[in-house]
Amino acid sequence: DAGVIQSPRHEVTEMGQEVTLRCKPISGHDYLFWYRQTMMQGLELLVYFNNKAVMDDSGMPKDRFSAKMPNASFSTLKIQPSEPRDSAVYFCASSLDRVGQPQHFGDGTRLSIL
Amino acid sequence: EDQVTQSPEALRLQEGESSSLNCSYTVSGLRGLFWYRQDPGKGPEFLFTLYSAGEEKEKERLKATLTKKESFLHITAPKPEDSATYLCAVKVGANNLFFGTGTRLTVIP
């Protein structure tokens, strides 16, 4: 079975540029999550969706980050304008809407902002 | 405030040397504690879910246990392929996972 698919795997861009990260969740999963991982902070939840609707985006800097889920099989996380402090690994995860179901993670996008 | 603390930060074991990783938590209303394994360059891979004090789960050389304040991941006779970062997370709110910063395990042949 295909897992969570993220693209690109690596992105290097200059400060001020727009960055778009993409995620395809596991088919049939109701929840989709975006996390950021850094050495200092570990894994932090940015935003999550249930059935394409944003449920909680309190972890996301809303002045420069935006997340969308236009359909059940695709989500984007956009950063505009990007800053060096946004450099991190961004993970997407999905899960079923049932008690005890774990989140399944993609392999992440390593983002470097120069 | 919800808090998850993992210890030690890093652990080096000889192959076959059993040990335990600790995850202590302070949350209002635990709705599940999760263990994940993360290899370099990969996303976290689900291992176990625990819900109530006294519960135990096992998978190969790994056993996870839960008390009211902490969880342990016991590794019995580890092999080099068990080397990874082990992450603990607690479920808070409707479906949020709050992660600890992990224990980086190295098993030396």
Side-chain angles (χ1 to χ4, degrees):
Chain A
D1 288 343
V4 174
I5 299 171
Q6 292 187 244
S7 64
R9 290 297 318 276
H10 303 273
E11 176 91 15
V12 180
T13 192
E14 292 190 348
M15 183 174 66
Q17 297 297 306
E18 179 178 290
V19 174
T20 300
L21 310 181
R22 297 173 176 80
C23 175
K24 178 178 168 55
I26 294 172
S27 178
H29 280 195
D30 311 278
Y31 284 91
L32 184 140
F33 307 82
W34 282 101
Y35 289 88
R36 176 170 61 186
Q37 187 174 43
T38 61
M39 290 293 291
M40 293 298 295
Q41 301 294 330
L43 265 170
E44 300 175 287
L45 179 67
L46 296 174
V47 59
Y48 79 95
F49 297 82
N50 181 20
N51 290 322
K52 303 180 292 179
V54 173
M55 300 304 292
D56 186 349
D57 62 0
S58 58
M60 196 169 71
K62 293 188 223 4
D63 56 337
R64 299 183 300 107
F65 284 59
S66 62
K68 291 186 179 0
M69 192 164 186
N71 59 63
S73 58
F74 183 66
S75 176
T76 59
L77 181 68
K78 192 170 292 190
I79 309 173
Q80 168 64 22
S82 57
E83 297 181 1
R85 60 181 166 146
D86 301 328
S87 297
V89 182
Y90 290 80
F91 287 102
C92 176
S94 69
S95 72
L96 288 167
D97 185 10
R98 283 179 216 152
V99 172
Q101 289 299 310
Q103 295 179 18
H104 297 273
F105 285 76
D107 283 337
T109 295
R110 181 172 295 276
L111 178 64
S112 297
I113 309 296
L114 306 177
Chain B
E1 182 180 326
D2 298 325
Q3 199 161 1
V4 177
T5 303
Q6 290 190 247
S7 61
E9 287 187 16
L11 181 64
R12 288 172 65 89
L13 298 174
Q14 290 293 133
E15 184 172 1
E17 180 188 0
S18 301
S19 188
S20 297
L21 314 183
N22 177 264
C23 171
S24 62
Y25 59 91
T26 307
V27 295
S28 49
L30 180 70
R31 299 180 64 237
L33 185 141
F34 296 75
W35 282 98
Y36 283 81
R37 168 192 171 126
Q38 187 174 21
D39 293 296
K42 298 287 189 178
E45 176 187 347
F46 170 72
L47 293 173
F48 304 110
T49 310
L50 302 165
Y51 286 103
S52 53
E55 190 175 356
E56 298 183 354
K57 294 270 179 75
E58 280 190 73
K59 180 180 179 179
E60 296 180 358
R61 294 177 292 283
L62 300 177
K63 183 168 82 170
T65 62
L66 182 65
T67 72
K68 287 187 178 179
K69 294 184 179 179
E70 57 193 347
S71 177
F72 292 93
L73 185 65
H74 307 277
I75 303 176
T76 302
K79 299 183 177 182
E81 53 262 42
D82 295 322
S83 298
T85 295
Y86 290 85
L87 297 167
C88 164
V90 294
K91 180 176 274 193
V92 297
N95 206 0
N96 308 17
L97 283 185
F98 189 78
F99 280 85
T101 51
T103 293
R104 189 173 65 254
L105 174 66
T106 304
V107 181
I108 304 158

